[in-house]
Structures are given as structure tokens and as C-alpha cells.
Amino acid sequence: MSFDATFQNKRFNSVGTRPLRPDGIDKVTGRARYGADFNMPGQLVARVLRSPHAHARIKGIDTSKAEAVKGVKAIVTAADMPDLTDGDEALFAILDNCMAREKAMYDGHAVAAVAAIDESSAKAALKLIKVDYEVLPHVVDVDAAMMADAPVLNDTIFTQGVEPAPSKPSNVANRSEFGHGDVDAGFAKADIIVERSYKTEQAHQGYIEPHACVASCNADGTADLWVCTQGHFVYRQNCADLLGLEASKLRVTSSEIGGGFGGKTHVWAEPVALALSRKAGRPVKLIMSREEVFRASGPTSATSIDVKIGATKDGKITAAEATLRYTSGPYPDMWAELGAMTAFAPYDLENVKTVGFEVVVNRPKVAAYRAPSAPMAAFAAESAVDELAKEIGMDPVDFRIANVAKEGTRSSYGPVYGPIGIGPTLDAAKAHPHMSAPLGPNQGRGMACGFWFNFGGQTCTDLNISADGTVTIAVGTVDVGGSRASLSLIVAEELGIEYSDVKAVIADTSTLGYNDMTDGSRGTFSTSMATISAARNAIEVMRQRAAIMWDIPLEHIYWEDGHAKAAGSKHGNRAPLSVKDIAAEAGNTGGPIAGHSELVADGAGVSFATHICDIEVDSETGSSRVVRYTVIQDAGKAVHPAYVEGQYQGGAAQGIGWALNEEYIYGDDGRLQNPGFLDYRIPVCSDLPMIDTQILEIPNPNHPYGVRGVGETSIVPPLAAIANAVSNAVGLRMSHIPLSPPRILAALNAAKT
């Protein structure tokens, strides 16, 4: 059947309620099975040898002594994982990151791996592997890597996006530019111009569950992978491509996931586990330690950003410009491009220009982190916007309202906006009691706006109705933020049944058609579209079955309030048939009842938020405390409001940690100094106030319920909101994230002198 995905202003019964989460009991009782909870008979234990150098040529690897250790069943190096990427640079970067080939590119880069009958044997073998390194000059700072005398990491990287094409290799992998109008003319019209430079340090997603998998390559050419992931179909394709397997013969099952936030959208150790299993002929279990997670899985970029923004005295922005430099680790990617696209997205600008530079450095391969690249760009842009408002003498909320983007605005990155929620979030912030609450001594208030694109993509679902009328919805998008509850509500809504009669399950890659990764806030948006379509397909089947049961024409049957109904009195005013009534007779009317859908979900609808933050700063120690925090965000339609609020609060909490404490600290030798939660400090409950939330609902016209993704946008404003609050508290403009006590204290002491 055809599927109308446009907003229908539906009256809801189930959607918008707050039922219990379906995974709650299993998780609190310990029954939920995470990546490390799966075991196979005869499995081996894997451990990985990692480079102690930030940059080193691998001249040779001797595994002979390690192979002689009792209990060792397989050892792999790059020689066991040949290059099968056929010139695909992105795929080769994944391969090289999984197992170093000619060079170790960062502290923690994998150079060999062992599979043994137990952990002690594997560790003993690692100590006996001899690697002949030629230590090379390294660079870990983004600005230093762009200098003419910086060591060049890869002589095959030539800067893309510049004319004429460069003749020398460079650490600058790509230049991207966005904008419209004439910024020079715009600045000429400005009465006041603010121009500043900003830096942010590298942060990790901080998920509690480390990467873990069990891999089994079988004698018949098939293979199985059990893994904690945000996208098991993508993992299947990547692993198959890297190892020369047929994707159809590799079955990937996603475990429960103990946090991902973008960090589990990339393969790190899974291809290595498969290579070990193939060589040993036995299942292999590989779990990364917390230190390995920090040293060798993907954090976000470190950045260096210049912003110039001008306005007239009456508060109209005339021009905005930003130059953004992002680290990507040793492999090119698109992080700077995303930053350049998102920097000024909340505003209606006549003249705007952003330029992004992707810079390779001797740090781990960068991965997505919840609205990747946007928090850093927003920190710089929103800090400058706040300072400009102060220079003009306008309230920071009023200044933003005067320049806010709206439906019909041409965005700073190109497209024209449809209905969007940034204006309403600012209006709500202005009216919120938080904004007018009195501040105490040494306290400052800051606010900031944030934006994220949201994605759609390929999605496939199966909906099956049992003989007792209960429903199972099988989906291929991993639940990382409550999608199973939301999808169950949507099934209940469409079919007119109870939420408790629906169970959502995550199908493995052999059970369901292809599904894109759960990223880009696409999980509930895209899968709910396929779920609605599948439910409506099932309703058509149930109408057909009702026609058989009643022996009347199909066109005389309609579906309403969860029942098949006969139209008109000529059919004897038959009592409506419920889902349970129809399901009970399925065996006599044609067999099992199901609905199926596969689609490419388009029109995800962009997302905006405004955050307000109060900070108290101790001027003697530089320490700070978040006193109050409020998130206001447009959800389009909150399918399960409690989960939506949790997403808002979770993004804000992670942003608070990033803004105040979290950073990768490297020594002069290029080695990571704080690879653990003791020294890399994420917020705990005592560090945070209760984070207040306000859900706005500006419907997305491209979704039948008006849904927008909500999972990522709320990590975008905190860096700027907190920096603005701290700056107001101490009377100094703070421009380097995180605003750790030593950094605040240094700024205060510098101001005194």
C-alpha cells in the first residue's frame, strides 16, 4: 500500500503517554545481556598489543616467542588482514586503524593481537611480541599540525577543496566552505564587531560499557558476531569488506548497549576478533579495557576556531564569519565540514561565511559524539553572539530573537528552512522563571542556542500479530535511547490496542532487511515511519480477514478505534471485530497476520534548542558549580515524554562535563596522560543540579505524527551556555573549553596582573 508520510494532526490515545520502559526490569535485575555477557563453547580470550608511541614506523614484528606460549591459539598482525579495500580510502582508514600497517599513528594504535585459552596466557604472549619501532616526530595540537614545519603524517594526503590543487602533502586533509551574501560588505555596515579565537579540547563519549564482542568464523564459510553496537548492519558490511567475507554469510547480533552516543557507530576491535577466530578455528571473545577505550577508540575532535561577527547599534547582525579547524585523528573525515555547517544555523543572516579545515594529528581516530562537531562550533559562535549583544547593550535573549531563523530563512549552510522551533524555544526561554530568578554572590547566568540536522535513511520493519492478539514489532535500528518504548506506543496507537500487548525486538542481520545505523537522531523518526507503514499494512490484512469472517465485500469494511467495522445497517449492525477477535480466527481465514515495511525515511526535520545555565565560581580556587540548568527543545511530537526529557537531560549532563572538566591531556611524548575515569572525570550525580526541561512541539510536516529526532541537539548549547555563565560570573571572557579550575584560576590571576 502507499504510505502518506505527511503530518496528519492526529488525535492520540497512546502516543504522548508515559508507560513503563520495556527493558527496565531486565536491566535492573541483571538479566539484560550486554556485549561482554555472551559466551560460546570453546571460546578463546583475545588481547591486543598497542603502540606506546604517538608516531612510529613499524620495521618488523617478531611473534615467534609468543606463539610458543602454552594456550596461545592464534596471533594476528596486519599481515593477516591484507588490504582488500580496492582503493576505498575511507574503508582503508578503518582497516589501518584496526591494525597498524606501515606506521603506528597514535599512542594506543593496535599492532598485533593474541587469542589464547585464558587471559593470563594471552597477556603473557603479548609481552613476548617484539616490535621494531622507528620513532618519528609527532604532532597532537590542531594549530601546530597546520604549521609549515609540522611533521607530515601521511604523504598521500593533499588538501582537498582548494584551487589550485596543492603539490605537496599536508596535514590539512580538506577545506570546506559554506555561506551566502558578501561578508565584507556586511562588516562594512556594522557599528560593532566582535572578533575572537576559541579552543576546545578533545572529549570522549564516556559510555559506561566498554567495547566487547564475540566472533566466530565457521568451517562452512559463515560467521557470527555478537557485539555492542549502534548499527549491526553497518558493522556486518564493514567487517565483511575488511576480511573478504560475503556479507550475507556474516550474521551480526546486537547486544544491549551500555551507552554509545556515537562512539559505537564505528568498528574498532571487531574485525580483529573475526580475524583471530578465522585463524584459530574457534570463537574469540574480545573486551577492551577502559584504558584501551580511551587510548584507542574514537573521541571527538579538538578544535581551534576564529569567529568574527558584526551588528548595527539596533541589534541587527550584518555579517558573521568563522574559520574552524578540527582534528580527525590520523585519518581524514568530515568533522570540520559539519562544524562549518552548524555554526550559525540558528540565525537569519544576510551575509555569512564559514570555512572548515580537517586536520590530521597523532591522536585516536575521531568518532561521532552526539551531534558531532556542532557543540564546538556553537561554543565559538554563541560566545561571540553573547559578547556582541553585551557590546550593543541588548539582553542576550532579545538579541537572538531579533536575528532568529524562521520558516523561509535560508540557512547558513544552504537549504531553506521549513517549520522550525528555534524562535519558540527563545520565546519560551524569555518567559521561563529561570531567566528572571535572582542570582547569588559569585554567580553568573548564561544561555545559548543549538542546532542539529537529524537524519532519516534506510529502514525495514516486520510486524507480527500472534493468535492471542499480541504484537511483536521487529526492527533493525538499535535502541540507544528508548526507541523500543516509542515504537510500541506507535504500534498501540495505530492498531488501537494496549501498550502492554506490544513487544519491540531488535532483529539480527539475517532476520530483517538492511537498516542504517542508529545515529543522527534517526532511530525513532525513521523506524516509526516504517512501523506506522507496517501497522497500516497489517490493518489492511485484518480488514480482509474480517471480510472473510463476515462474508461481506472488503469495501464495506473500515478500521476505526482498533476494530474492523461494517459500514451500514444492511450488514446487520455486526459487532465490531477487535485485533484479538480477528487474530483468533487467523488459522481459518488465511494464516498468520503480519505487516511489513521497507522505506527510505526522508524529511527528518532539523532540531533546535535553547539552554539556560547558572554557575557559581569560587574565585580563590577556580572551581565552579552548576546551580541551575534548564533545557528547552522542540521535539516535533514527544512520543514518550519521559524518554524525551531523559534525552534532554542526558545531553545537557554530558555537555556540562565537557564544558567544565573533560579533556584528553597529552604529554610531550604524545602519550595520553589520563586514560581512565579517575583522571578523565565525567560528571557524577553530586556534580549536577536537577536539569529542568520544557518540551515544545512544532510538528515536522514530513512525519505522520510530526516527530523530530531529539537525541543529539541538547549536547550542542551547553559548552556555550556554561562559558557565557562563567564569563558573566568572573567578568572575563572565557574562550578555552573545558573551563577547569586551573584554567579559570589562570585567567583570574592573569587579569589581576
Side-chain angles (χ1 to χ4, degrees), residues 290-291 294 661-663 665 673-684 687:
R290 181 61 58 186
E291 179 177 329
F294 275 110
N661 288 303
E662 298 179 38
E663 65 176 310
I665 299 172
Q673 301 296 299
N674 58 333
F677 283 145
L678 181 62
D679 297 310
Y680 180 96
R681 191 172 180 279
I682 63 173
V684 296
D687 296 315

Side-chain angles (χ1 to χ4, degrees), residues 19-44:
L20 294 175
R21 56 188 297 166
D23 56 340
I25 292 176
D26 283 351
K27 287 182 174 176
V28 299
T29 59
R31 287 204 304 261
R33 299 174 76 197
Y34 292 89
D37 292 329
F38 185 74
N39 296 287
M40 294 184 72
Q43 74 183 18
L44 303 173

Side-chain angles (χ1 to χ4, degrees), residues 138 168 239 327 329-330 349 375 486-487 534 577 579 595 624 637 734:
H138 66 272
K168 293 183 179 181
C239 290
T327 62
L349 302 174
S486 296
L487 297 174
L577 293 173
V579 173
S624 57
K637 176 61 185 178
M734 304 299 295

Side-chain angles (χ1 to χ4, degrees), residues 194-263:
V194 168
E195 190 169 4
R196 280 198 179 271
S197 296
Y198 305 88
K199 293 201 78 164
T200 69
E201 297 300 331
Q202 196 158 45
H204 197 273
Q205 300 87 348
Y207 35 79
I208 301 303
E209 180 194 16
H211 299 271
C213 67
V214 176
S216 179
C217 288
N218 309 313
D220 61 359
T222 63
D224 289 275
L225 181 67
W226 165 282
V227 61
C228 53
T229 173
Q230 291 178 236
H232 46 317
F233 288 88
V234 175
Y235 273 43
R236 177 184 68 174
Q237 194 62 54
N238 283 343
C239 290
D241 289 344
L242 295 179
L243 295 170
L245 302 172
E246 292 183 36
S248 62
K249 292 185 178 181
L250 173 59
R251 181 178 64 176
V252 182
T253 303
S254 63
S255 68
E256 284 288 354
I257 183 169
F261 315 111

Side-chain angles (χ1 to χ4, degrees), residues 415-498:
V416 174
Y417 288 135
I420 56 175
I422 180 60
T425 68
L426 282 164
D427 293 337
K430 184 175 176 64
H432 198 283
H434 185 170
M435 193 59 78
S436 56
L439 289 168
N442 305 315
Q443 293 180 358
R445 176 167 297 141
M447 56 81 56
C449 299
F451 159 87
W452 185 243
F453 306 97
N454 294 341
F455 304 146
Q458 301 179 72
T459 311
C460 179
T461 64
D462 274 331
L463 185 150
N464 293 282
I465 301 177
S466 300
D468 63 357
T470 60
V471 178
T472 298
I473 180 76
V475 302
T477 43
V478 175
D479 180 0
V480 299
S483 61
R484 280 172 292 187
S486 296
L487 297 174
S488 297
L489 282 169
I490 287 167
V491 171
E493 188 72 51
E494 285 292 319
L495 298 185
I497 61 178
E498 295 297 321

Side-chain angles (χ1 to χ4, degrees), residues 692-714:
D692 297 323
T693 62
Q694 183 175 349
I695 300 172
L696 303 185
E697 295 184 325
I698 294 86
N700 173 12
N702 303 307
H703 187 283
Y705 292 5
V707 168
R708 302 177 191 267
V710 301
E712 295 177 275
T713 305
S714 273

